[in-house]
Amino acid sequence: QDVADDFVTEEKKSGSDSDTEADQVDNAARRSLASLPRRIHRCLDRSDVHGAATGLIELFHLIASRTNAYPLATALSGGSAGSSELKNPLLESQMKMIYLHVQTLPDRTVRLSRRLLHRAAGSHPSGSAAGAAMTASALSALDLLDPNRSQMSEDQRAVRLLDLYYESKARLIRGLLERLGRTEDGAGGGEGGAVAAGTSGASTAAATSDEAADDILGRIVHILQYDILLHPYQIFVLKRFRPPTEDGAASREEQQEEQAVMLTMPQFDPAALRTKASNFLASHLPLIRNKAKAVLMNIAGTTAARLGNIRQSLYDKTDGAECRRALDGNGLCGWDEAVNCIVDFRTVSSHGTQLFSPEKGGNDGTVAASRRSARPREDLSSGASPDRRFSLWSALFSATFSSLVHSILTSSFHSVHTRVIGTLRSSLAAAPPLRSIMPHEAHRNALRIATDLDLALIKVSDDAHELLVHAEEREESERRLRQSLYVQTCEIMGRLLNELRRMLDANKDKMADVDEEEATTELIVGRLCHLLKFRLSCLPTLLDSSSSPAAMAAAVGQKSGMISLAELRSSFEIADDDEDGLISVEEAEEAVESAFSGTVFKGAEMVKDTLLLSASTRHSVLGGENKDNGNGEAVSESSRNVTLSELVLLSARGLRHDKSGAESALGTIQRSLDETIAICFAKWSRVILHPTLKEFRTIFERRMVTSTTACDMEWRRLNGLLCEGEEENYRKTKYKEDLPDINRPPTAAVGNVSAHMTAYLLGVAAALNSNICPSDSLPPVASTDLALHMGMAVTDGKNRTNSIPNMMQIIRGALLEEAVTSVTSSVISILKDDETSTDDNDDDEAKSRLSKCSTSALLQLQLDITFISHSFFERNHNGFTVSSSGVALTNEDRSQQCLNHLERLAGDISSYVDHDVVSDPSAVKDSMREKHLQSLRSCDLFLSALFGEGEVASLNMSALAGPSSSSSLGGDAPPPLVNPLPSSRRFNLLPVQAERSLDELRLRSKYGKEKEDAAEAEAAAANASAVTSGFGFFSSMLKKK
């Protein structure tokens, strides 16, 4: 610039000497050469690339008009070149110096223009209009400084500018998406840190990443609104970017600037712009949507509240009222006008993008578009329909959040399932041995797991409602959410029931060896399943029949494309070759795939996903390919199996459930829980009664050996049934022919019930008392109506809570079922002298052993056998095994078979009795019945919990004393006082955790009473001070006292 100033000064000195016309032209050129660089630099300093470009073009045009020695100047000036030699050496020198100075400025201006295009014009600090002006200025500069501009047609220049513009915006969006990916990693790290350590730093980092994700998504939305749709329409179609002022007209300077910029730009074809913009949206909207979904998934792993805030923020930035007013209030055009002009809806929606806001009535844009599919192409492409409104919320986030419902709930339910199973396995691993476990501890642990599961399901549902149900789309989002909750709840319950059942199946082989450690699993799992029936208070809401996919599809008039339960059952029965009600996972995949053939559902993938067997769910949820069964043993996929009920729940997304009843979702869950409870307590009762049964078998076998080897007299002597003087007469007899028949009793002597029989019943009662706690006797549900609401099949339709058995009744029924079955099979097997065979065709073996017994032994055996029948089938008022819903199970046939076996066995015994001795069978039966009642009365204190209250609640003391005692005491003598034996198994009082408020009240009451006592003591001391002041030492003693 100093050199240029010297040239100007020297020009002024010599201008007066030679002022010819040529010199005047050269002097004007030199003045322009001196001033234009200053103007260009001033424009570049304030980022006015259009001013800089026009200055450069003017400068280069001046240089190129004088000489062709500078190719850049010749190219940018439009191709007009002057003579090769300059006559004015001063002008030549000045041109050379100026050119060397500004030859890098075109590249600098182009780079600055590209940087301006790479900015978000809609977020300009001075407003959207200033951003549009910046964009137009950059495009004009790029067009003016293009060296090939003179060689291209106007259409080619327009296409080039459109390509440059949308390529720059594509780079801008890709850069923001990369930053969004980094925030995704930050959110994941923050979440992991929060879970692992729970530090405040991790939570702060997660919150910061969430705010960054919200900000980046908002910037992307702003770019799509202004840079992609609104500004292109204003610049390329309207040829305007400056809105009018309040008085309706733009300022003169702004108008001149706008005209200057637009005059330098080519004429743009609206169809080309429409194609370019539509292709841009069609390629970038799915990309943005997928990246946003991935980020929102990570954010959803921290808390639903944050995701809900982001959702509301994004809605306000896309379809909010203020956002709509800002888009429509730009002063040049309306939002719908711009969108309808440059967006081809068919092209943009070709990738499944939902472009329109939900219509009134709850139907989304996709349904509305399908209803309008019969309209002409011109109507669809123009977007002139008044009931349609293009929405970036619908295009980017509505479908994303809707699909995120299922993904978020899937992840949340997977986490709930993992925590529940992990807690259960930890509880089983830490459980004490079967004989040491306290019933209230087992109840407390199972109650904690059931309560935590219920609270977790409620929290997931509440978080999902907080996240997805908003006032703008309440009806639609609520519908989708309820449907997803229904499907996910069915799937988690199906997985949970499958896991619980397989825990029992893992112990199936070990239970044959009566392993008490494994029976603990049955006890805790059985208690847990019983609590799950009644404690999952959220199930009726989550599994409302109106929320099922089939009901939802029918509500909006769509075809569900689902199958019925009969079709699934048919495929299951075909796959179940051995008819055991179980099929492997591979068979289940084939069966479900066959059942869902012809539908949109993929059965094999459905089974893998719901059972967490797919690669993604296995590694993300279970952390490996093999899972532990809770006993330290890996369980492979091939060993897994499913039942029909579990498959019905796992296939909920494509299966039509009944609205109510046993084949509804709730009814299926309740039925599966009933089956699991029955299996658990059947196995547990077999183990818990094994020691008692083993002792019974030992004693009974020993007595049978004695019965078959000893003579009748010896047998009666051993059992104290000899008549008075019978043994002494036997010893005094001298001659053999005078000996009495030692195998024939003189009379039919009926003794007392054998001790081992009574001991067996007492052992069963002790097992019951030692494995129940007071909570087990409470009603499991408040009313029958509530039980019906929970999906239970209640037999008694009246509103009575006693129709639903509690935990104590279930345990008692299982023990009674196992007790009568075990003792019957044991008696029959011992009589047959065979440990395994109990078939009816082996009765000859039992008869052969009965034939070796004496009459007295047979009578005693008949007394014991009928005592079993009387105890379990007459004295027992509680019945046998029933389901948790009060429905008798099929095992009731087993008890009836036991009764038939016992009656048949008693009849066989009667056939071998010497009828000359037993001349009056009815009297013997009456005597036996009296003995039964006597034994039951004597143990009624202990057996009442097992069999229920007897006919005589109070103890008959005269019956306990016996006939000999009563005869010796006389008829009018009062019965002796017999103290009942204390129970060996009673409930200990358990410490109850008091509420903190209750503790505070007690402490306040205690402190208040102490203050009152202290005040009374001070008052008494003050009143007595006059008396006690003179006692000296005694006064101090009184005070201490």
Side-chain angles (χ1 to χ4, degrees):
Q1 299 297 329
D2 295 337
V3 174
D5 294 341
D6 293 340
F7 280 127
V8 174
T9 304
E10 188 174 353
E11 173 194 1
K12 292 179 180 180
K13 292 180 180 179
S14 60
S16 59
D17 298 335
S18 58
D19 199 8
T20 63
E21 183 177 355
D23 292 337
Q24 292 179 0
V25 174
D26 291 342
N27 291 336
R30 293 180 65 189
R31 284 192 297 270
S32 298
L33 289 174
S35 61
L36 283 175
R38 297 180 181 178
R39 192 180 75 182
I40 293 170
H41 279 285
R42 283 195 296 268
C43 290
L44 290 177
D45 290 340
R46 62 174 182 266
S47 299
D48 183 9
V49 291
H50 172 73
T54 55
L56 286 171
I57 295 299
E58 183 179 354
L59 178 61
F60 288 147
H61 180 74
L62 177 62
I63 296 174
S65 64
R66 300 279 178 169
T67 179
N68 58 0
Y70 306 104
L72 178 61
T74 303
L76 293 180
S77 64
S80 61
S83 60
S84 60
E85 296 182 1
L86 288 174
K87 297 179 180 180
N88 190 338
L90 294 178
L91 181 60
E92 180 181 3
S93 300
Q94 185 178 4
M95 282 185 181
K96 183 176 181 179
M97 295 297 294
I98 295 298
Y99 177 78
L100 292 176
H101 175 70
V102 301
Q103 65 179 348
T104 59
L105 293 184
D107 183 62
R108 176 185 172 185
T109 305
V110 169
R111 284 187 280 108
L112 179 58
S113 299
R114 291 182 181 274
R115 284 199 301 270
L116 293 178
L117 286 181
H118 194 62
R119 295 179 182 177
S123 303
H124 196 278
S126 301
S128 171
M134 177 188 69
T135 300
S137 176
L139 290 172
S140 175
L142 291 173
D143 181 53
L144 291 173
L145 297 179
D146 183 9
N148 301 321
R149 181 172 183 265
S150 60
Q151 303 174 6
M152 294 187 300
S153 64
E154 188 174 10
D155 293 339
Q156 291 176 338
R157 289 167 52 203
V159 172
R160 174 181 173 273
L161 289 181
L162 287 176
D163 292 340
L164 285 174
Y165 180 77
Y166 281 104
E167 285 176 3
S168 64
K169 299 307 176 183
R171 288 196 300 271
L172 174 60
I173 291 178
R174 285 196 296 268
L176 291 175
L177 291 179
E178 291 178 359
R179 291 182 55 189
L180 192 62
R182 290 193 291 271
T183 62
E184 175 186 356
D185 298 336
E191 178 189 354
V195 174
T199 60
S200 59
S203 302
T204 304
T208 305
S209 62
D210 298 346
E211 295 175 359
D214 185 17
D215 178 67
I216 293 174
L217 288 174
R219 293 176 61 183
I220 292 175
V221 168
H222 220 58
I223 291 171
L224 293 175
Q225 289 172 334
Y226 289 93
D227 296 54
I228 306 302
L229 297 175
L230 198 59
H231 288 171
Y233 176 71
Q234 296 173 354
I235 297 172
F236 301 133
V237 178
L238 298 180
K239 291 288 188 176
R240 297 187 60 185
F241 52 81
R242 288 292 186 183
T245 56
E246 296 180 358
D247 57 357
S251 64
R252 184 170 184 179
E253 294 181 359
E254 293 178 350
Q255 186 176 7
Q256 291 177 352
E257 178 187 359
E258 181 182 78
Q259 292 177 357
V261 172
M262 290 305 173
L263 287 174
T264 60
M265 297 177 65
Q267 188 71 26
F268 294 92
D269 183 12
L273 174 62
R274 184 189 192 88
T275 302
K276 194 67 180 178
S278 300
N279 291 335
F280 182 92
L281 292 175
S283 61
H284 285 80
L285 288 181
L287 182 64
I288 298 171
R289 185 169 60 246
N290 294 336
K291 178 60 72 173
K293 182 178 180 180
V295 174
L296 294 175
M297 280 292 296
N298 282 339
I299 296 175
T302 57
T303 175
R306 296 179 183 174
L307 193 60
N309 295 334
I310 293 178
R311 189 264 181 207
Q312 189 62 46
S313 175
L314 292 176
Y315 184 85
D316 293 339
K317 295 175 182 177
T318 52
D319 277 11
E322 295 182 2
C323 176
R324 287 290 186 180
R325 285 195 296 268
L327 292 174
D328 292 332
N330 58 79
L332 295 176
C333 64
W335 167 255
D336 295 332
E337 177 187 352
V339 169
N340 293 333
C341 180
I342 67 173
V343 176
D344 184 1
F345 298 123
R346 284 188 179 275
T347 302
V348 179
S349 61
S350 60
H351 297 281
T353 303
Q354 178 182 313
L355 301 179
F356 305 102
S357 300
E359 295 180 345
K360 294 181 180 180
N363 298 324
D364 56 21
T366 304
V367 177
S370 65
R371 292 178 180 175
R372 294 186 296 267
S373 60
R375 295 183 180 178
R377 180 178 178 85
E378 297 77 19
D379 185 27
L380 286 172
S381 61
S382 64
S385 177
D387 61 349
R388 303 198 311 167
R389 184 179 181 89
F390 178 80
S391 169
L392 280 178
W393 166 257
S394 300
L396 289 177
F397 305 113
S398 179
T400 299
F401 274 87
S402 298
S403 62
L404 208 60
V405 173
H406 188 79
S407 300
I408 291 176
L409 292 180
T410 299
S411 178
S412 300
F413 277 105
H414 286 178
S415 178
V416 171
H417 171 79
T418 304
R419 290 200 304 268
V420 170
I421 296 299
T423 304
L424 177 58
R425 288 175 176 170
S426 300
S427 178
L428 294 176
L434 181 64
R435 303 292 173 179
S436 301
I437 189 172
M438 301 298 293
H440 66 277
E441 293 176 350
H443 171 77
R444 180 181 59 191
N445 291 338
L447 179 61
R448 175 187 174 187
I449 296 174
T451 304
D452 290 347
L453 176 59
D454 185 47
L455 294 177
L457 293 178
I458 293 175
K459 186 178 185 302
V460 169
S461 176
D462 293 343
D463 290 346
H465 279 82
E466 179 183 0
L467 166 64
L468 299 167
V469 178
H470 296 267
E472 302 87 6
E473 296 176 314
R474 177 169 298 277
E475 183 177 354
E476 176 64 20
S477 57
E478 175 72 18
R479 184 182 68 85
R480 293 177 178 175
L481 176 59
R482 288 193 292 112
Q483 176 178 335
S484 188
L485 284 174
Y486 181 93
V487 173
Q488 292 293 336
T489 305
C490 288
E491 292 178 356
I492 189 177
M493 292 305 299
R495 285 193 300 270
L496 180 60
L497 292 172
N498 181 264
E499 291 282 352
L500 295 176
R501 182 186 53 77
R502 289 193 309 107
M503 286 183 182
L504 307 180
D505 292 342
N507 300 332
K508 184 181 297 182
D509 298 333
K510 299 180 181 180
M511 292 300 293
D513 301 331
V514 195
D515 191 351
E516 294 189 356
E517 295 183 0
E518 303 301 332
T520 306
T521 301
E522 274 69 19
L523 176 62
I524 296 179
V525 171
R527 284 183 170 273
L528 174 61
C529 291
H530 182 262
L531 292 174
L532 290 178
K533 290 177 59 63
F534 308 100
R535 296 287 179 170
L536 296 182
S537 58
C538 60
L539 286 186
T541 302
L542 295 176
L543 297 180
D544 186 7
S545 59
S546 60
S547 303
S548 64
M552 289 289 185
V556 296
Q558 292 180 342
K559 294 182 179 180
S560 61
M562 299 180 179
I563 65 172
S564 62
L565 179 59
E567 296 174 285
L568 182 62
R569 181 184 291 110
S570 177
S571 298
F572 184 90
E573 292 175 352
I574 294 174
D576 188 12
D577 298 332
D578 51 2
E579 298 182 356
D580 61 346
L582 295 174
I583 59 175
S584 64
V585 173
E586 292 78 8
E587 294 173 340
E589 293 176 5
E590 296 177 0
V592 177
E593 188 73 27
S594 174
F596 283 98
S597 60
T599 65
V600 297
F601 301 99
K602 298 180 180 179
E605 295 182 4
M606 185 188 303
V607 174
K608 288 183 178 180
D609 292 341
T610 53
L611 285 177
L612 310 183
L613 297 179
S614 60
S616 58
T617 54
R618 182 190 303 121
H619 290 284
S620 62
V621 179
L622 300 175
E625 294 189 1
N626 292 331
K627 298 161 283 297
D628 190 88
N629 63 355
N631 302 318
E633 302 174 357
V635 178
S636 62
E637 294 181 12
S638 59
S639 63
R640 300 194 64 167
N641 49 33
V642 295
T643 63
L644 178 59
S645 298
E646 296 164 0
L647 207 57
V648 167
L649 296 174
L650 296 174
S651 307
R653 69 183 70 172
L655 188 67
R656 293 193 301 269
H657 292 155
D658 290 351
K659 294 183 178 180
S660 61
E663 294 185 353
S664 64
L666 278 173
T668 303
I669 293 174
Q670 295 290 346
R671 186 175 65 254
S672 298
L673 289 173
D674 287 338
E675 294 173 355
T676 305
I677 292 171
I679 294 173
C680 286
F681 286 106
K683 295 180 178 179
W684 169 82
S685 59
R686 183 165 64 253
V687 176
I688 202 69
L689 293 180
H690 177 71
T692 303
L693 180 64
K694 183 178 180 180
E695 183 179 2
F696 170 81
R697 289 179 62 91
T698 301
I699 299 176
F700 187 71
E701 176 67 27
R702 188 165 56 244
R703 287 181 64 88
M704 285 304 302
V705 171
T706 303
S707 299
T708 55
T709 57
C711 63
D712 188 89
M713 182 176 291
E714 179 66 14
W715 195 94
R716 287 187 288 115
R717 186 188 69 81
L718 293 175
N719 289 273
L721 295 177
L722 290 176
C723 298
E724 185 177 356
E726 186 177 0
E727 184 177 2
E728 183 178 357
N729 294 334
Y730 176 75
R731 293 176 180 176
K732 293 180 179 181
T733 303
K734 296 181 179 181
Y735 302 101
K736 183 177 181 180
E737 56 274 8
D738 296 335
L739 290 175
D741 189 355
I742 59 176
N743 285 321
R744 184 175 183 182
T747 58
V750 178
N752 294 320
V753 177
S754 298
H756 60 276
M757 291 290 179
T758 307
Y760 180 77
L761 295 182
L762 293 177
V764 176
L768 172 64
N769 292 333
S770 61
N771 287 280
I772 59 174
C773 60
S775 299
D776 295 334
S777 300
L778 298 177
V781 66
S783 65
T784 307
D785 294 337
L786 182 58
L788 294 173
H789 183 62
M790 296 287 292
M792 283 174 277
V794 182
T795 56
D796 188 3
K798 300 178 181 179
N799 189 10
R800 298 185 306 176
T801 57
N802 57 3
S803 61
I804 307 297
N806 52 36
M807 187 77 259
M808 192 266 292
Q809 293 171 335
I810 293 176
I811 294 178
R812 180 176 60 196
L815 288 173
L816 288 171
E817 182 82 23
E818 179 62 28
V820 67
T821 304
S822 300
V823 72
T824 302
S825 59
S826 298
V827 168
I828 295 176
S829 63
I830 291 174
L831 290 178
K832 295 177 180 178
D833 199 10
D834 186 357
E835 296 294 332
T836 58
S837 177
T838 58
D839 297 335
D840 295 339
N841 55 8
D842 293 334
D843 289 343
D844 294 338
E845 299 180 7
K847 294 179 179 180
S848 63
R849 198 168 190 187
L850 291 175
S851 62
K852 300 177 183 180
C853 298
S854 62
T855 300
S856 298
L858 291 174
L859 290 176
Q860 183 64 38
L861 180 59
Q862 187 178 17
L863 174 66
D864 295 339
I865 297 300
T866 53
F867 178 72
I868 297 175
S869 302
H870 181 87
S871 300
F872 285 101
F873 298 99
E874 295 184 26
R875 175 62 179 84
N876 179 20
H877 301 318
N878 298 320
F880 295 95
T881 304
V882 293
S883 71
S884 302
S885 301
V887 181
L889 300 178
T890 55
N891 289 340
E892 190 72 21
D893 296 338
R894 296 176 55 192
S895 59
Q896 186 62 37
Q897 292 177 1
C898 293
L899 177 60
N900 296 335
H901 284 302
L902 293 174
E903 291 178 349
R904 189 182 303 112
L905 185 58
D908 294 340
I909 294 174
S910 300
S911 63
Y912 285 94
V913 174
D914 189 351
H915 295 285
D916 294 336
V917 178
V918 184
S919 58
D920 190 0
S922 59
V924 173
K925 290 182 179 180
D926 293 341
S927 178
M928 288 183 178
R929 183 173 181 82
E930 183 62 29
K931 294 294 183 180
H932 297 163
L933 296 175
Q934 182 179 346
S935 297
L936 292 175
R937 290 193 190 100
S938 63
C939 303
D940 188 76
L941 179 64
F942 309 101
L943 298 181
S944 59
L946 188 64
F947 295 134
E949 295 294 337
E951 297 178 358
V952 181
S954 60
L955 207 59
N956 191 343
M957 302 303 174
S958 60
L960 289 176
S964 59
S965 300
S966 61
S967 59
S968 61
L969 291 174
D972 298 333
L977 181 61
V978 179
N979 294 325
L981 295 176
S983 174
S984 60
R985 297 285 184 176
R986 304 306 298 168
F987 297 127
N988 296 323
L989 293 178
L990 303 179
V992 179
Q993 182 67 29
E995 295 291 339
R996 179 174 298 179
S997 58
L998 182 59
D999 293 340
E1000 292 177 356
L1001 291 175
R1002 292 175 177 174
L1003 290 176
R1004 290 177 182 177
S1005 176
K1006 178 180 178 181
Y1007 294 151
K1009 186 176 181 180
E1010 290 180 354
K1011 291 181 180 179
E1012 292 178 358
D1013 294 343
E1016 292 178 358
E1018 291 178 0
N1023 294 333
S1025 59
V1027 180
T1028 59
S1029 59
F1031 287 97
F1033 176 74
F1034 294 100
S1035 176
S1036 63
M1037 292 183 63
L1038 291 173
K1039 291 180 180 179
K1040 292 180 180 180
K1041 182 177 180 182

